[in-house]
Amino acid sequence: MELGWLLWGTAVLLLLHVLMELSPAVNFVLRIGFYYLLCIVVSALTVPVCLLVNGGRTVKNMRIIRTVVRTFKYFFGLRFEVEGLEHFKVEGPAIIVSNHQSTLDMMGLMEVLPDDCVQVGKKELMYAGTVGLVIYLGGVIFINRKSTTSAKMVMAEVAKTMATDNVKVWVYPEGTRNCTGDLLPFKKGAFHLAVQAQVPVIPVVYSSFTTFYNPKTNLFTSGKIKVKVLPPIDTKGLTSDDVSDLTERCFRTMRETLFMLSGNPSKAKDSS
């Protein structure tokens, strides 16, 4: 009986392997399905660890979550090449902004996430089962993107949290996922927050995923992701009148870096 189950299991695995090789659609569905399953199972196992170690919701839990998620890359054949981590070593709070490409960004985030850093995420994530629970315990600040009033109130609370808890805040200024190999126009909330709190903005750029991940074409293979942490942009002395210029400056710098990291130097030159 045990031998029979073993043979059946082997046959199923071989069949799935053949289908993944022959069909990009099957390969994509199975890989992304495994990714979601991994997130659910691992978060369920991590929740009690966070509660036992730190007792509840605190940014300190991100150290545990970061350690666990950093193992995900080995399941999917992803390699990270990181440059500029020293730029995170600024005294006091800061706003960290990065490009936002796909659901896989969580792996990239945890690869470089500094200590004492909270993320701003969409409110819908709160209801994502065990995943929502574990990131809640990690101190993620949830924002209702559909309500401008609510978003402003949350940002005001974030400013207060930065000052009282001395933490950095990670924001995706594009506001939504964008896997096109370019950047969407930046929303100004993060930059208003930086100017209001008079804290530096630290840009982080991930190379384009399009060479190994593209849901539109059912592409999901192994690949290398280049990450560059750029020098902090000082906001001391800036006012609300300077927010537009600050936003545009950050956008241009990050876009040029994105093209360079992704192997498109001609586009980088055009964007500067």
Side-chain angles (χ1 to χ4, degrees), residues 184-229:
L184 294 175
F186 284 176
K187 298 182 183 299
K188 296 179 182 178
F191 304 96
H192 274 292
L193 181 58
V195 169
Q196 176 186 342
Q198 294 287 280
V199 299
V201 176
I202 306 175
V204 178
V205 184
Y206 295 83
S207 61
S208 175
F209 291 1
T210 53
T211 57
F212 66 88
Y213 180 85
N214 190 336
K216 292 182 179 179
T217 59
N218 292 315
L219 175 67
F220 191 175
T221 63
S222 58
K224 180 170 73 173
I225 302 167
K226 294 183 179 181
V227 190
K228 188 167 185 177
V229 182

Side-chain angles (χ1 to χ4, degrees), residues 50 53-54 56-66 115-118 137-139:
C50 291
V53 174
N54 293 311
R57 176 176 165 86
T58 169
V59 69
K60 293 179 181 179
N61 283 324
M62 272 299 168
R63 297 179 184 178
I64 300 171
I65 298 167
R66 180 180 62 192
D115 287 337
D116 299 319
C117 179
V118 298
L137 290 174

Side-chain angles (χ1 to χ4, degrees), residues 75-242:
F75 292 100
F76 301 98
L78 298 179
R79 292 172 292 122
F80 288 89
E81 185 178 290
V82 182
E83 179 184 352
L85 285 177
E86 68 275 8
H87 295 309
F88 282 142
K89 297 177 181 178
V90 298
E91 291 187 13
I95 299 294
I96 302 172
V97 294
S98 72
N99 52 324
H100 190 20
Q101 300 185 65
S102 78
T103 187
L104 303 183
D105 285 347
M106 180 180 66
M107 286 189 282
L109 169 68
M110 295 301 167
E111 192 69 22
V112 301
L113 185 74
D115 287 337
D116 299 319
C117 179
V118 298
Q119 299 84 56
V120 174
K122 59 184 180 181
K123 189 177 181 181
E124 291 84 349
L125 290 173
M126 286 182 65
Y127 312 108
T130 56
V131 175
L133 178 56
V134 79
I135 62 176
Y136 169 81
L137 290 174
V140 170
I141 300 169
F142 299 101
I143 186 170
N144 184 355
R145 297 181 300 179
K146 297 178 181 179
S147 172
T148 303
T149 302
S150 174
K152 287 181 178 179
M153 290 175 62
V154 170
M155 284 302 185
E157 191 63 29
V158 171
K160 182 180 178 181
T161 300
M162 278 198 304
T164 56
D165 297 344
N166 194 33
V167 296
K168 296 177 176 62
V169 177
W170 191 297
V171 183
Y172 294 112
E174 291 172 282
T176 189
R177 297 171 187 168
N178 170 40
C179 196
T180 64
D182 202 343
L183 292 180
L184 294 175
F186 284 176
K187 298 182 183 299
K188 296 179 182 178
F191 304 96
H192 274 292
L193 181 58
V195 169
Q196 176 186 342
Q198 294 287 280
V199 299
V201 176
I202 306 175
V204 178
V205 184
Y206 295 83
S207 61
S208 175
F209 291 1
T210 53
T211 57
F212 66 88
Y213 180 85
N214 190 336
K216 292 182 179 179
T217 59
N218 292 315
L219 175 67
F220 191 175
T221 63
S222 58
K224 180 170 73 173
I225 302 167
K226 294 183 179 181
V227 190
K228 188 167 185 177
V229 182
L230 301 177
I233 300 173
D234 192 17
T235 65
K236 291 287 179 61
L238 299 186
T239 68
S240 58
D241 293 334
D242 301 305

Side-chain angles (χ1 to χ4, degrees), residues 9-24:
T10 303
V12 170
L13 289 175
L14 286 174
L15 177 61
L16 289 175
H17 178 72
V18 171
L19 288 174
M20 288 175 71
E21 291 293 324
L22 295 177
S23 171

